[in-house]
């Protein structure tokens, strides 16, 4: 009894264990844009495509028996109507239909009737070719999107064929039999060809990377963590979206919470990014001991009236110039906890807590510890996309310094706190805000660019929606 309860419990926990931190939605508008781009590309590829040889045997009556081969069968012209593609909710897939495709083909024929032998060229036209293909989308064990053909149906409405060359009159005699035979032969070849294209696509998807090295410290894991969800208006993919430290990969002490990105049917695609993703990067930096800095006087801007030495800091900490007259100082700053980001309607918040260790630098370069301060700060920021650039602003909402340990006796931190707050405002935030006001160009690839992107900060996630424009169709699909 008890073990089976455990199994049931573990199944429940597995089922609701992991939430995607990144959600990608392709809307019907995006699907239709992709279909249109793909149709143009297919039309181009189909023209001048050479098909494999077709050979067969036709018997009619008791006496007549033709063995034929069609070679160098080339598409001369193809009138490719725009296919229709729609989300197929029932099986979480896509349904593609092509109706009324017309193709003109040309090639060489060769045939035997008993001892007689003939050959020459031919022209063939296929009219009203209809095809319906249904594919199912899924997820493989490695977290890749997978695609499988579940249904395919193809029909050729009518066929016309003209033979030229030696003894072509014989084939013309039996033209109707020949047409039916070839039509059957071609019809059964269409779906296997479509399935081959789908299998090819599937092998590309299988080879796609789901883990990316971001810089020398971080990797980003982006496998699918659930099945793709398809309904009549969209396709939704839930990705893990977690950063790991390369040096010391481990899980952060928090989990991704579920969130729902509202559907934006007027955009081709949208992406929801949970604060978990940003915080997993923060946690990785913290656990790899990368959130620390060493500061000395040479790093203080030359124009600053306050220097990092015991004389200059005397007005704030009277003991300093008394006990360590006119010595340069150094600060070691490190995070006490993981700096945490949180997304709220319209604003990004950052809460961080750190330690400042202060040292006096003796003339013989020995560092003499002076005191430790706890520094706690809250920042809030706004982000938006305007003129194709990511812009924003940051403000400091709260900043406190408190004495955590001291080798030089107690002192008040109020005036020091005011001074550092002003310093951060002037030296750090002002410059940062100037950069953020100019903004950063959004990424653009050789193949595609974003059109009219928008970004909003919601409760627990950032929602990004955009249209896309393909720049070089040819390189994308090949
Ligand atoms: C037709 O047959 C003749 C003689 O068998 C041959 O020389 C000629 O090349 C053939 N032409 C074609 C188009 O096959
Ligand atoms: C599809 O699902 C999304 C999100 O779950 C929802 O907003 C949308 O209304 C659904 N569309 C249809 C046609 O049911
Ligand atoms: C300050 O630190 C930098 C980098 O750690 C170092 O190159 C420089 O020599 C230091 N300056 C002083 C005055 O200690
Ligand atoms: C300390 O800073 C003051 C300016 O506040 C400067 O006059 C003095 O020379 C500095 N002392 C050292 C040791 O750099
Ligand atoms: C460096 O100077 C300090 C203060 O004068 C002294 O206490 C310390 O022992 C010296 N260290 C070395 C390695 O000479
Ligand atoms: C500022 O931070 C301190 C310590 O972290 C906290 O006690 C105080 O309530 C905060 N003030 C505001 C306005 O958030």
């Amino acid at each position: 009894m008890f073990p089976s309860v455990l199994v049931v419990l573990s199944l429940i926990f597995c089922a609701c264990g992991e939430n995607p931190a990144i959600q990608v939605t392709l809307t019907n508008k995006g699907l239709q844009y992709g279909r249109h781009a793909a149709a143009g590309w297919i039309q181009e590829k189909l023209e001048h495509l050479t098909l494999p040889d077709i050979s067969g045997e036709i018997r009619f009556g008791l006496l007549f028996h033709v063995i034929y081969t069609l070679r160098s069968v080339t598409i001369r012209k193809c009138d490719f109507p725009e296919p229709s593609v729609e989300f197929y909710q029932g099986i979480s897939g896509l349904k593609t239909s092509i109706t009324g495709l017309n193709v003109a083909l040309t090639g060489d024929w060769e045939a035997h009737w008993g001892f007689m032998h003939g050959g020459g060229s031919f022209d063939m036209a296929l009219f009203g070719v209809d095809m319906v293909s249904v594919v199912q989308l899924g997820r493989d064990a490695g977290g890749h999107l997978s695609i499988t053909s579940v249904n395919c149906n193809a029909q050729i409405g009518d066929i016309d064929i003209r033979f030229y060359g030696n003894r072509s009159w014989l084939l013309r005699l039996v033209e109707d039999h020949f047409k039916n035979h070839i039509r059957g032969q071609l019809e059964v070849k269409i779906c296997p060809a479509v399935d081959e294209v789908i299998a090819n696509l599937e092998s590309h998807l299988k080879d796609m990377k789901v883990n990316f090295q971001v810089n020398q410290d971080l990797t980003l894991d982006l496998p699918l963590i659930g099945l793709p969800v398809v309904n009549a208006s969209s396709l939704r993919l839930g990705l893990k979206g977690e950063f790991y430290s390369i040096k010391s990969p481990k899980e952060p002490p928090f989990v991704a919470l579920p969130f729902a990105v509202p559907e934006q049917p007027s955009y081709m695609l949208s992406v929801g990014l949970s604060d978990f993703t940003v915080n997993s990067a923060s946690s990785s930096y913290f656990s790899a001991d990368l959130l620390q800095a060493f500061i000395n006087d040479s790093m203080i801007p030359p124009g600053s009236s306050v220097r990092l030495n015991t004389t200059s800091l005397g007005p704030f900490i009277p003991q300093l110039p008394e006990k360590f007259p006119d010595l340069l100082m150094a600060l070691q700053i490190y995070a006490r906890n993981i700096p945490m980001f949180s997304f709220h309607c319209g604003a990004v918040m950052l809460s961080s807590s750190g330690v400042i260790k202060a040292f006096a630098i003796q003339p013989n370069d020995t560092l003499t510890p002076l005191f430790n301060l706890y520094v706690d700060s809250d920042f809030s920021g706004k982000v938006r996309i305007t003129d194709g650039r990511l812009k924003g602003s940051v403000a400091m909402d709260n900043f406190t310094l408190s004495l955590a340990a001291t080798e030089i006796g107690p002192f008040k931190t109020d005036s020091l706190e005011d001074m550092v707050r002003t310093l951060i405002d002037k030296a750090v935030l002002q410059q940062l805000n100037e950069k953020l006001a100019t903004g950063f160009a959004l990424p653009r690839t050789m193949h595609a660019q974003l059109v009219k992107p928008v970004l909003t900060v919601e409760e627990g996630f950032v929602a990004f929606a955009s249209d896309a424009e393909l720049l070089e169709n040819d390189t994308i699909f090949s």
Side-chain angles (χ1 to χ4, degrees):
M1 170 75 197
F2 191 62
S4 65
V5 170
L6 278 186
V7 167
V8 170
L9 278 181
S10 72
L11 283 180
I12 291 171
F13 281 112
C14 286
C16 58
E18 205 174 8
N19 291 306
I22 296 181
Q23 292 180 29
V24 180
T25 306
L26 176 75
T27 63
N28 191 45
K29 184 180 181 189
L31 181 68
Q32 298 314 322
Y33 181 76
R35 166 195 64 104
H36 181 73
W41 177 80
I42 293 171
Q43 161 101 46
E44 241 170 63
K45 292 283 142 174
L46 279 181
E47 307 234 339
H48 315 298
L49 179 81
T50 300
L51 307 183
D53 293 355
I54 303 165
S55 51
E57 203 177 324
I58 309 175
R59 289 169 183 277
F60 33 97
L62 279 171
L63 299 170
F64 214 75
H65 173 205
V66 180
I67 297 169
Y68 71 90
T69 305
L70 305 183
R71 290 203 176 82
S72 319
V73 186
T74 308
I75 296 182
R76 205 156 47 76
K77 194 164 175 356
C78 173
D79 169 15
F80 187 73
E82 285 250 326
S84 92
V85 181
E86 60 196 67
F87 292 119
Y88 202 72
Q89 186 163 5
I91 54 141
S92 233
L94 297 172
K95 180 178 170 182
T96 307
S97 333
I98 296 172
T99 343
L101 168 72
N102 300 327
V103 192
L105 300 147
T106 176
D108 300 323
W109 66 274
E110 203 186 319
H112 299 269
W113 312 257
F115 296 116
M116 257 197 281
H117 172 246
S121 63
F122 71 88
D123 286 326
M124 180 163 38
L126 308 177
F127 301 104
V129 180
D130 294 346
M131 200 269 306
V132 176
S133 152
V134 176
V135 295
Q136 183 170 35
L137 301 175
R139 169 189 179 272
D140 72 11
H144 304 92
L145 184 66
S146 69
I147 180 169
T148 34
S149 169
V150 290
N151 190 11
C152 178
N153 209 323
Q155 264 147 21
I156 297 173
D158 200 3
I159 185 167
D160 195 9
I161 190 161
R162 300 271 153 83
F163 295 101
Y164 311 102
N166 285 348
R167 299 190 177 120
S168 54
W169 55 270
L170 244 171
L171 278 183
R172 277 200 290 275
L173 269 183
V174 296
E175 206 171 84
D176 284 343
H177 283 89
F178 207 90
K179 277 187 193 170
N180 282 335
H181 186 80
I182 289 282
R183 172 152 78 183
Q185 282 265 29
L186 287 175
E187 265 177 2
V188 298
K189 285 202 162 83
I190 295 175
C191 281
V194 170
D195 288 350
E196 204 180 303
V197 171
I198 293 166
N200 195 5
L201 190 58
E202 162 67 13
S203 81
H204 278 296
L205 288 173
K206 227 188 186 64
D207 289 344
M208 266 172 69
K209 278 170 69 174
V210 291
N211 180 282
F212 301 86
Q213 182 161 351
V214 180
N215 56 28
Q216 79 241 37
D217 303 314
L218 293 185
T219 58
L220 175 61
D221 254 23
L222 285 176
L224 277 180
I225 62 166
L227 289 173
V229 178
V230 173
N231 71 9
S233 57
S234 65
L235 158 65
R236 291 174 173 245
L237 304 176
L239 310 178
K240 185 169 184 184
E242 181 167 353
F243 286 99
Y244 285 99
S245 155
I246 293 173
K247 210 172 73 186
S248 59
K250 65 175 190 191
E251 291 300 326
F254 45 80
V255 295
L257 298 176
F259 64 101
V261 188
E263 186 148 304
Q264 305 228 48
S266 56
Y267 290 97
M268 290 180 191
L269 51 97
S270 59
V271 177
L273 177 95
S274 150
D275 47 16
F276 173 84
T277 299
V278 186
N279 286 324
S280 69
S282 189
S283 170
S284 303
Y285 278 121
F286 179 77
S287 59
D289 284 333
L290 292 168
L291 295 180
Q292 54 175 317
F294 200 79
I295 293 179
N296 60 27
D297 188 57
S298 60
M299 297 166 177
I300 306 286
S304 168
S305 56
V306 183
R307 307 304 315 171
L308 195 49
N309 69 45
T310 52
T311 310
S312 191
L313 293 181
F316 307 100
I317 309 167
Q319 301 96 308
L320 277 183
E322 286 164 19
K323 299 195 171 163
F324 299 94
D326 213 24
L327 287 185
L328 280 171
M329 290 171 63
L331 304 176
Q332 188 196 357
I333 303 180
Y334 56 87
R336 228 159 66 226
N337 296 306
I338 303 168
M340 292 292 281
F341 289 86
S342 57
F343 297 154
H344 301 286
C345 292
V348 177
M349 309 288 202
L350 168 63
S351 246
S352 67
S353 58
V355 179
I356 300 178
K357 278 191 166 179
F359 301 90
I361 306 173
Q362 300 286 358
N364 61 10
D365 285 345
T366 306
L367 295 181
T368 307
L370 301 173
F371 54 84
N372 291 0
L373 292 172
Y374 278 173
V375 47
D376 295 280
S377 52
D378 295 327
F379 295 88
S380 64
K382 290 192 174 6
V383 281
R384 62 183 193 280
I385 294 178
T386 33
D387 312 324
R389 297 175 77 83
L390 182 66
K391 300 182 180 181
S393 60
V394 181
M396 187 159 61
D397 297 339
N398 194 3
F399 180 84
T400 54
L401 283 183
S402 49
L403 193 58
T406 175
E407 311 284 330
I408 56 170
F411 55 91
K412 277 195 174 313
T413 53
D414 306 23
S415 53
L416 189 63
E417 186 181 289
D418 285 343
M419 188 271 287
V420 178
R421 187 185 290 124
T422 315
L423 197 72
I424 293 178
D425 252 335
K426 291 245 151 58
V428 184
L429 293 184
Q430 233 169 47
Q431 287 182 22
L432 185 62
N433 279 326
E434 271 166 31
K435 277 208 184 105
L436 288 173
T438 320
F440 301 93
L442 291 174
R444 170 200 161 111
T445 69
M446 252 166 62
H447 307 311
Q449 70 180 16
L450 300 169
V451 180
K452 294 184 296 169
V454 290
L455 184 93
T456 53
V457 184
E458 309 282 345
E459 208 56 40
F461 66 97
V462 172
F464 172 83
S466 181
D467 280 347
E469 185 180 9
L470 300 179
L471 301 172
E472 288 172 47
N473 293 346
D474 206 42
T475 45
I476 287 188
F477 295 102
S478 38

